Amino acid sequence: MKIKSFKVEQWMNDYENDAVYNLGETCIDSMTLKELLELSGRNAEEFLASLADKRMTYGYIDGSPELLAGIAGLYKEVHTNQVIPTHGAIGANHQVITSLIEPKDNMVSVMPTYQQHYSIPESIGAEVRPLQLYPENIFLPDLKVLRSLVDKDTKMITINNPNNPSGSWIPLDIMKEIVKIAESVDAYILSDEVYRGIAEDDSYMPSIVDLYEKGISVSSMSKVFSLAGLRMGWIVSKDEGVLQACRRRRDYDTICCGVLDDLFACIALASKDKIFERNRKILNQNRAILDKWVNETEEVHYVKPVAGTTALIYYDKDIPSYDLCVRLIKEKGVLFTPGSCFELEGCLRIGYAFDSKTLKEGLDKFTEFLREI
């Protein structure tokens, strides 16, 4: 199987360790195990000491009952037997696409998005039809264009909601129309929802599985739970065919997730209200910092993100995004992600959900850089 290099991940592998100001990070300020345990009301020292007697077996092959219940609780009317744990959301996306897509199929993928959604089906031999999102439409899907892209051979529509890299969130009325379009050709909708969960106003953010029987939600503990080190993700669907297909493939590429990953994910899921309260404060504070900087910096503009942890910053310099970002990390120690990693130019992706001091200092360094070139 031939597959394209994963541009975002290759970029991070090459340059993340060189960053003084890491504005490429997309997780909300990662927690220590001590912080997680204290948020959950446990004595960190006593709990971690008790792990010395934890037997390192395979554990629950399909996920512990507590884990499945915790994940199901992130949705409306989802049962534990409709949850499949995976090795991160990256494992979940891969498992869904390789389980359901065949060379004879076509599928529609929003663009920009996480590269798995178009490069994996292309490697299988399926036709990928891009649904381009534009800043002029605040990075929301054009329903008329989507209708023109589907036909009887369309197996799946993939969305990324909230969107990475733009930070857009598809309103409920548009989501319902996307469901109608999928229903018209009996297609699945795969929704990558790793940034879903923390709304500015503390309201529930609807998932595709709340709206569509053939909807498939993928998410993880990495972004909104601040626990990327657990490498715990999941697939949720109410479609029995999807669940059966993914479980069959899971025997080949997953078997089970780690017992410690399961354990700490259970603790976090049981404490989600406290974690979301912590992380909502970080998001709201840092979005305000980013917005103020954009409004005060003549050389840049953007569509203000409304969800997630990322935004696309457009700049006014005549330089390719990859070259700009290489110079920026080497000259100022600031890491962004080039727009070219998302098949875009004239822009870069920022992750703004870590500590505010690093964000402010990194943005100031970027302003210096723009004015020097």
Side-chain angles (χ1 to χ4, degrees):
M1 179 183 75
K2 292 183 179 180
I3 193 166
K4 295 176 181 175
S5 294
F6 204 144
K7 294 180 181 179
V8 168
E9 301 305 332
Q10 193 60 58
W11 168 262
M12 299 300 280
N13 291 344
D14 289 344
Y15 290 104
E16 188 170 22
N17 291 335
D18 298 331
V20 179
Y21 309 96
N22 188 344
L23 278 64
E25 174 61 68
T26 60
C27 301
I28 303 175
D29 202 14
S30 296
M31 287 192 289
T32 64
L33 288 178
K34 181 180 180 181
E35 185 177 4
L36 169 63
L37 293 169
E38 289 176 347
L39 273 175
S40 72
R42 291 169 169 80
N43 180 290
E45 187 174 341
E46 291 177 2
F47 183 87
L48 292 173
S50 73
L51 289 182
D53 295 322
K54 183 74 172 175
R55 192 173 294 279
M56 299 305 293
T57 69
Y58 280 105
Y60 289 93
I61 297 300
D62 293 323
S64 68
E66 296 80 8
L67 176 70
L68 300 178
I71 294 170
L74 300 172
Y75 304 85
K76 292 182 178 179
E77 299 179 2
V78 164
H79 304 295
T80 55
N81 62 354
Q82 296 168 329
V83 177
I84 301 176
T86 63
H87 294 152
I90 199 165
N93 280 323
H94 185 274
Q95 202 168 105
V96 169
I97 294 170
T98 56
S99 297
L100 299 177
I101 298 299
E102 301 177 49
K104 64 181 176 58
D105 298 325
N106 73 65
M107 61 179 288
V108 177
S109 175
V110 296
M111 296 280 282
T113 190
Y114 201 51
Q115 190 175 333
Q116 280 188 298
H117 292 291
Y118 52 95
S119 287
I120 293 177
E122 285 176 347
S123 74
I124 294 169
E127 178 192 358
V128 178
R129 299 174 178 178
L131 175 61
Q132 193 67 43
L133 309 178
Y134 294 101
E136 296 80 8
N137 196 37
I138 55 175
F139 293 105
L140 296 178
D142 185 314
L143 296 174
K144 183 178 179 180
V145 173
L146 177 57
R147 290 188 188 97
S148 73
L149 291 174
V150 301
D151 59 31
K152 63 181 178 60
D153 294 320
T154 301
K155 189 73 167 288
M156 182 181 291
I157 298 168
T158 73
I159 58 177
N160 184 197
N161 197 34
N163 179 257
N164 170 23
S166 72
S168 65
W169 169 252
I170 304 174
L172 187 57
D173 58 335
I174 296 179
M175 282 298 302
K176 289 179 177 179
E177 290 301 314
I178 294 173
V179 168
K180 289 180 182 178
I181 293 169
E183 285 178 330
S184 72
V185 293
D186 195 31
Y188 299 107
I189 298 178
L190 169 59
S191 183
D192 187 331
E193 298 176 345
V194 293
Y195 298 96
R196 167 185 170 264
I198 302 182
E200 287 184 348
D201 60 359
D202 199 22
S203 61
Y204 177 78
M205 299 176 75
S207 166
I208 190 61
V209 298
D210 301 321
L211 306 173
Y212 187 35
E213 285 298 314
K214 295 191 72 170
I216 307 164
S217 170
V218 161
S219 194
S220 79
M221 301 302 299
S222 297
K223 308 300 182 182
V224 300
F225 281 95
S226 303
L227 294 168
L230 295 188
R231 307 311 305 135
M232 176 65 74
W234 56 84
I235 301 162
V236 171
S237 182
K238 296 178 181 179
D239 186 286
E240 189 58 34
V242 168
L243 297 171
Q244 289 180 2
C246 289
R247 286 195 173 102
R248 282 195 300 270
R249 183 165 293 273
R250 191 173 184 269
D251 291 338
Y252 283 94
D253 61 23
T254 306
I255 302 178
C256 69
C257 297
V259 291
L260 295 182
D261 296 339
D262 188 308
L263 173 63
F264 287 113
C266 288
I267 293 170
L269 288 161
S271 308
K272 65 178 183 291
D273 291 340
K274 291 182 179 179
I275 293 174
F276 286 180
E277 180 182 2
R278 167 199 186 264
N279 288 356
R280 185 177 296 106
K281 290 178 181 177
I282 294 171
L283 282 173
N284 289 342
Q285 178 177 339
N286 285 6
R287 277 194 199 129
I289 291 169
L290 177 62
D291 192 56
K292 182 175 185 291
W293 174 79
V294 171
N295 290 329
E296 293 177 350
T297 306
E298 295 179 357
E299 294 85 354
V300 302
H301 66 278
Y302 79 154
V303 175
K304 186 178 180 181
V306 297
T309 68
T310 64
L312 282 172
I313 305 296
Y314 288 82
Y315 55 86
D316 68 356
K317 304 300 181 182
D318 185 19
I319 178 174
S321 60
Y322 188 90
D323 295 345
L324 183 148
C325 287
V326 170
R327 284 188 57 183
L328 185 61
I329 186 75
K330 290 182 176 179
E331 296 176 24
K332 299 293 182 179
V334 177
L335 181 76
F336 287 103
T337 304
S340 60
C341 290
F342 297 93
E343 322 301 336
L344 299 171
E345 271 307 340
C347 62
L348 45 81
R349 184 189 73 177
I350 183 174
Y352 56 83
F354 37 90
D355 70 282
S356 299
K357 181 175 182 291
T358 299
L359 177 62
K360 289 178 181 178
E361 291 178 356
L363 291 173
D364 287 343
K365 290 291 183 181
F366 185 39
T367 302
E368 284 180 17
F369 176 80
L370 288 171
R371 290 174 182 171
E372 287 171 3
I373 65 170

